[in-house]
């Protein structure tokens, strides 16, 4: 049988210049080919139609384990981890995920590596090697992944949902696997786990169950030829898809209230209704319509009522797929302490709102509005990374006809009230289950989920329970949303000058304006970045906390208004910085100015509402208290920042201060915070020069002009910036501490090598070194030594200072031991670097150059690059070109000399900070390590702040505006 090429017109966005073609290989593998002559990367995603629902009984996690194993080696490419090494050294990477009914494998690499990368990838599915030694080692990696997730509430509660379902239904299964299920239990039963892997692969990895997406720079004909060559050899045993009949929940799992104890101190409520999977009505989008209404946050919505009552801080509604026949409709609510006391009222109000939808809500105008916004977003969507793109398509190909592979459910086009009502009928008081999660239930439960040990209990509710809760719920004015005034209707593209880099249009004592019109992406979108340099916003922990509450309250006050903008593709964000805060507004340019002006007015007219202050304070307090439940690697990162950043404070002090704050403190602070400011503004996209200047004039009028101005220009002496501690050359610093969560067995190490301040020549040497070593480190520390699931080597850039950082999280070895293995790796890497051939060196060098020259895929990527140069005050908008030029001059000898000078063990300029966080499993090692004698060049840090005070600081790399010239008009 010849390759089938059914002529299918695949619907694509109007702005999409890529070419698409569907083919079916002789082995029945269905493939989508994507040709993009503008891409710098190639990518592919293979979606195999089998997941953990197909795990054999008693070997939970086998599908996930197989996903791990396919990356190791193949008969054609037997070198272990060679595919990951190949993609890493050619500007890309690999990953995979195991779902309930599918497993997805994917990669990305530089476009000129297309053929070889595709060949290596195809061998996963043609002839993989699953050697015994690799199988034994990778069980440890799967178990480490499980241990990483063991104290994660999202994993724990998700598994509880599955546990409380029919045992005969595959939804009941435990999909991740661990050492118990993949080694201990099989061995006790005399099962050879390697043979089970091979059997599972041979039975389930059939070409007729696979969907492939391939993305390349070459022509579709060339891509097709390569795909046929590489993938036709995949076996087709005509395996049938797993057929699942029946719902995951029987009557005993419905009309129940499940109370569960979380790890974090939060109160959450999840109401679930089993429903038929809505994918069969993807043009009618019944669940999309209902999530739009139930999850709405505008005035009159359920969330607005709960927020006004002080009972909830967030609400979301969504459909979660179980299989092609079944789903759950979910409403998830984060509750305040007060809300936790009113759980029954909250559920009563939810069912009241569902009743309003029954009575008034299935309106064609609402559907048409959703469809109009969806159509605009589809046809003006931004390009994303090729790997993300192929994964998003391949994961859904089995669900949609080929013509809608790109569209999926994103273009509603058939208003059908009866289909919407059929789903709405399922959201009844006879068909639900409630998961109520709170620390308050400690000691009140009588059951334990077997895999994650989550304590819970189940109460059966009768038919009249919800009716009683509805009757007793408060009388809130619930209503449907009104028409959305933020929907863009002017999507025209404006004529602007061709400008390669941002230009400085304006500078005053109040502000500066940088401007860059869109000359590359041709989308009706724009962005305004605004940085408030406010010296009084960040000069103490007290000020920092009040500034943070200010930010949250601005969001809180605007939520009902701004939610409509968000639905229409307009977004804003406020984030705290080391010297103030940033405001960003972005999206369709037509109504952008309306949203921006409203946000600015809310900041300028800010007043404190005591009841909302209390809610935000409670939320922040819990975030600080729950920090101790984060993974140890995040704690290690926190300690590294606390040691090195001169403008940071310990979370315990923040929490202590936070508990004392009152509304009057913020009332006095907010005017002070804004009383002195200097604004840096960057406006880019589909916007004209005069519009940009008008925006900044308006901002200055709001804050600096008028009879009683809110702000005065910040004085030069007030514009301080955070600086980094300078470590001494030739010294190693060690900070050891016990983990913050006594129940977490995992430990973590950060091995940070501080190297240099921003300098083009040194930058590219470090970048190339990290580029070469990244895979080598992962392979040695993670794959070979199995120190932990999380093992990474990254290039860090902090406050103008560059460095190299190893991060390892482990439940099997203590941090000190891992530190010795990092040092051992550096010694072995030194030899590899010296022995590297000229051809290999140039291959790495060229791959890095190609990666750096990758074009921005969308307006936001370009803007973020430029905004970073502006906020750092480095202004090297041509940084990529400058660094590429420096890379072209770099020799192997210079790279080795750089390594010997800064990184090699014993190097004269080597400056190392090791942060060691000891989990409960290694607590005895902590005392032994603290009492062990150290060498002459090793400094033990006992008191972080005494150490910080004793060290010099790097100078600020930020440049001033004094000598910078304003760009004159080209007219």
């Amino acid at each position: 049988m010849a390759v089938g090429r059914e002529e299918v017109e695949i619907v694509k966005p109007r702005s999409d210049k890529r070419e698409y073609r569907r083919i079916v290989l002789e082995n029945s593998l269905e493939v989508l080919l994507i040709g993009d002559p503008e891409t710098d990367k190639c990518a592919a995603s293979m979606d195999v139609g089998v997941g953990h629902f197909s795990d054999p009984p008693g070997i939970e996690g086998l599908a996930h384990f197989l996903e791990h194993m396919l990356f190791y080696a193949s008969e054609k490419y037997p070198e272990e981890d060679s595919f990951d090494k190949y993609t890493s050294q050619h500007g890309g990477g690999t990953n995979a995920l195991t779902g309930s009914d599918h497993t997805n494998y994917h990669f990305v690499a530089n476009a000129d590596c297309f053929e070889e990368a595709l060949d290596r990838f195809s061998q996963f599915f043609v002839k993989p090697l699953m050697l015994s030694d690799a199988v034994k080692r990778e069980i440890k990696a799967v178990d480490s992944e499980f241990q990483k997730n063991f104290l994660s509430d999202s994993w724990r509660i998700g598994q509880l949902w599955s546990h409380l379902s029919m045992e005969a239904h595959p939804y009941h299964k435990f999909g991740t696997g661990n050492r118990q299920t993949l080694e201990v239990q099989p061995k006790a039963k005399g099962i050879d786990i390697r043979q089970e892997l091979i059997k599972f692969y041979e039975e389930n990895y059939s070409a007729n169950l696979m969907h492939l997406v391939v993305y390349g720079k070459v022509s579709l004909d060339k891509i097709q030829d390569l795909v046929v060559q590489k993938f036709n050899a995949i076996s087709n045993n005509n395996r049938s898809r797993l057929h699942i009949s029946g719902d995951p929940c029987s009557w005993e799992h419905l009309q129940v209230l499940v109370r569960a104890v979380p790890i974090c101190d939060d109160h959450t409520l999840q109401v679930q209704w089993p429903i038929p999977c809505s994918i069969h009505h993807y043009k009618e989008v019944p669940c999309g319509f209902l999530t739009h209404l139930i999850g709405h946050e505008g005035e009159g919505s359920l969330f607005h009522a709960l927020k006004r009552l002080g009972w909830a801080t967030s609400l979301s509604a969504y459909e979660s797929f179980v299989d092609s026949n079944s789903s759950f409709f979910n409403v998830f609510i984060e509750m305040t302490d007060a809300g936790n006391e009113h759980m029954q009222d909250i559920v009563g109000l939810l069912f009241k709102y569902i009743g309003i939808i029954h009575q008034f809500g299935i309106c064609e105008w609402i559907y048409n509005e959703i469809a109009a916004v969806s159509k605009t977003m589809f046809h003006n969507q931004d390009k994303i990374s090729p790997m993300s793109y192929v994964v998003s398509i391949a994961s859904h190909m089995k669900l949609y006809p080929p013509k809608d592979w790109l569209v999926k459910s994103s273009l509603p086009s058939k208003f059908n009230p009866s289909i919407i009502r059929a789903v709405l009928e399922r959201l009844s008081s006879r068909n639900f289950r409630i998961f109520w999660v709170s620390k308050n239930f400690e000691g009140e439960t009588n059951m334990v989920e077997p895999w994650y040990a989550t304590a819970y209990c189940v109460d059966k509710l009768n038919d009249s329970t919800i009716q009683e809760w509805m009757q007793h719920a408060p009388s809130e004015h619930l209503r449907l949303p009104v028409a959305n005034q933020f929907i863009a209707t002017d999507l025209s593209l404006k004529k602007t000058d061709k400008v390669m880099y941002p230009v400085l249009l304006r500078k005053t004592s109040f502000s500066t304006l940088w401007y860059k019109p869109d000359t590359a992406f041709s989308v009706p979108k724009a962005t305004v970045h605004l940085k408030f340099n406010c010296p009084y916003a960040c000069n103490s922990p007290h000020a920092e906390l009040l500034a943070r509450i200010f930010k949250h309250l601005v969001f809180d006050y605007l939520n009902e208004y701004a939610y409509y903008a968000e639905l229409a593709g307009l977004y804003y964000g406020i984030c705290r910085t080391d010297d103030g805060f940033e405001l960003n507004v972005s999206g369709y340019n037509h109504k952008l100015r309306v949203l921006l002006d409203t946000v600015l007015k809310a900041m300028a007219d800010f007043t404190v509402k005591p009841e909302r202050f209390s809610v935000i304070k409670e939320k922040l307090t819990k975030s600080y208290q729950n920090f101790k439940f984060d993974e140890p690697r995040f704690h290690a990162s926190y300690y590294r920042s606390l040691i090195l950043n001169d403008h940071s404070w310990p979370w315990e002090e923040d929490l202590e201060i936070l508990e004392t704050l009152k509304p009057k403190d913020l009332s006095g602070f907010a005017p002070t915070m804004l009383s002195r400011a200097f604004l840096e503004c960057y406006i880019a996209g589909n916007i004209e020069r005069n519009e940009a200047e008008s925006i900044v004039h308006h901002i200055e009028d709001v804050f600096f002009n008028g009879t009683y101005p809110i702000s005065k220009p910040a004085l030069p002496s007030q514009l301080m910036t955070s600086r980094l501690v300078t470590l001494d050359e030739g010294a190693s610093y060690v900070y050891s501490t016990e983990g913050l969560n006594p129940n977490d067995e995992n430990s973590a190490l950060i091995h940070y090598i501080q190297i240099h301040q921003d300098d083009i020549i040194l930058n590219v040497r470090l970048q190339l070194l990290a580029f070469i070593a990244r895979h080598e480190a992962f392979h040695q520390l993670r794959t070979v030594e199995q120190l932990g699931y999380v093992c990474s080597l990254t290039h860090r850039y902090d406050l103008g200072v560059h460095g190299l950082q190893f991060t390892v999280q482990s439940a099997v070895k203590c941090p000190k031991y891992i530190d010795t293995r990092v040092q051992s790796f550096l010694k072995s890497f030194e030899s590899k670097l010296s022995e590297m051939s000229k051809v290999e060196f140039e291959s790495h060098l060229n791959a890095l150059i190609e990666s750096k020259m990758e074009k921005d895929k969308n307006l936001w990527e370009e803007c973020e690059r430029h905004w970073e140069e502006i906020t750092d005050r480095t202004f090297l908008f041509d940084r990529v070109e400058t660094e590429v030029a420096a890379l072209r001059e770099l020799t192997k000898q210079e790279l080795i000399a750089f390594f010997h000078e800064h990184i090699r063990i014993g190097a004269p300029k080597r400056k190392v900070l090791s942060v060691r966080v000891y989990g409960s499993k290694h607590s005895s090692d902590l005392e032994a390590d603290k009492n062990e004698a150290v060498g002459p060049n090793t400094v033990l840090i006992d008191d972080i702040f005494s150490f910080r005070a004793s060290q010099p600081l790097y100078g600020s790399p930020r440049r001033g505006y004094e000598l910078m010239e304003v760009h004159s008009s080209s007219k």
Side-chain angles (χ1 to χ4, degrees), residues 54 172 198 261 264 458:
S54 298
H172 183 78
I198 294 170
V261 180
C264 292
V458 180

Side-chain angles (χ1 to χ4, degrees), residues 710-724:
I710 297 167
S711 305
K712 293 181 179 179
L715 302 172
S717 62
Q718 293 179 312
L719 294 175
M720 307 296 289
T721 182
S722 296
R723 295 160 65 190
L724 211 68

Side-chain angles (χ1 to χ4, degrees), residues 66-196:
L66 178 60
E67 172 226 298
H68 278 239
M69 288 306 306
L70 288 198
F71 278 98
Y72 261 80
S74 63
E75 196 172 272
K76 186 173 182 180
Y77 299 99
E79 181 189 352
E80 200 172 88
D81 261 2
S82 63
F83 184 61
D84 189 56
K85 179 179 181 180
Y86 181 83
T87 55
S88 178
Q89 292 177 350
H90 292 87
T94 65
N95 212 336
L97 59 92
T98 303
S100 58
D101 62 353
H102 73 116
T103 306
N104 192 284
Y105 301 83
H106 39 277
F107 79 87
V108 65
N110 289 335
D112 61 353
C113 307
F114 184 46
E115 183 168 355
E116 184 172 347
L118 207 59
D119 189 55
R120 289 173 175 271
F121 183 63
S122 69
Q123 295 306 305
F124 287 13
F125 315 101
V126 176
K127 202 71 176 176
L129 287 180
M130 287 181 262
L131 301 177
S132 296
D133 178 61
V135 169
K136 290 175 183 176
R137 280 185 282 122
E138 199 59 21
I139 286 176
K140 295 178 182 177
V142 174
D143 190 65
S144 180
E145 184 177 358
F146 170 73
Q147 295 298 334
K148 177 182 75 71
N149 299 330
F150 185 75
L151 296 178
S152 164
D153 280 328
S154 60
W155 282 93
R156 293 163 68 85
I157 302 305
Q159 189 60 44
L160 184 58
W161 298 343
S162 297
H163 180 65
L164 295 176
S165 64
M166 294 178 64
E167 289 189 30
H169 196 285
Y171 180 68
H172 183 78
K173 291 185 176 184
F174 165 55
T176 304
N178 57 19
R179 181 174 172 270
Q180 189 71 24
T181 67
L182 298 173
E183 182 178 68
V184 176
Q185 288 176 188
K187 192 174 288 184
K189 297 175 183 177
I191 295 172
D192 184 330
I193 194 67
R194 178 174 177 270
Q195 291 305 316
E196 289 294 326

Side-chain angles (χ1 to χ4, degrees), residues 274-302:
I275 61 171
C277 181
S278 71
I279 204 73
H280 305 293
H281 300 291
Y282 70 96
K283 293 292 186 184
E284 294 87 354
V285 293
C287 282
F289 182 88
L290 294 174
T291 58
H292 172 78
L293 294 179
I294 297 173
H296 209 282
E297 297 182 17
E299 197 168 326
S301 67
L302 172 63

Side-chain angles (χ1 to χ4, degrees), residues 659-671:
E659 290 171 347
T660 69
L661 296 181
K662 293 181 170 49
K664 65 178 182 180
D665 298 317
L666 184 57
S667 294
F669 170 77

Side-chain angles (χ1 to χ4, degrees), residues 66 69 282 294 301 371 386 458 499 587 627 652 668 679 731 803 807-808 910:
L66 178 60
M69 288 306 306
Y282 70 96
I294 297 173
S301 67
V458 180
V499 178
F627 174 66
E652 300 96 330
L679 279 54
T807 304
V808 181
R910 179 177 157 88

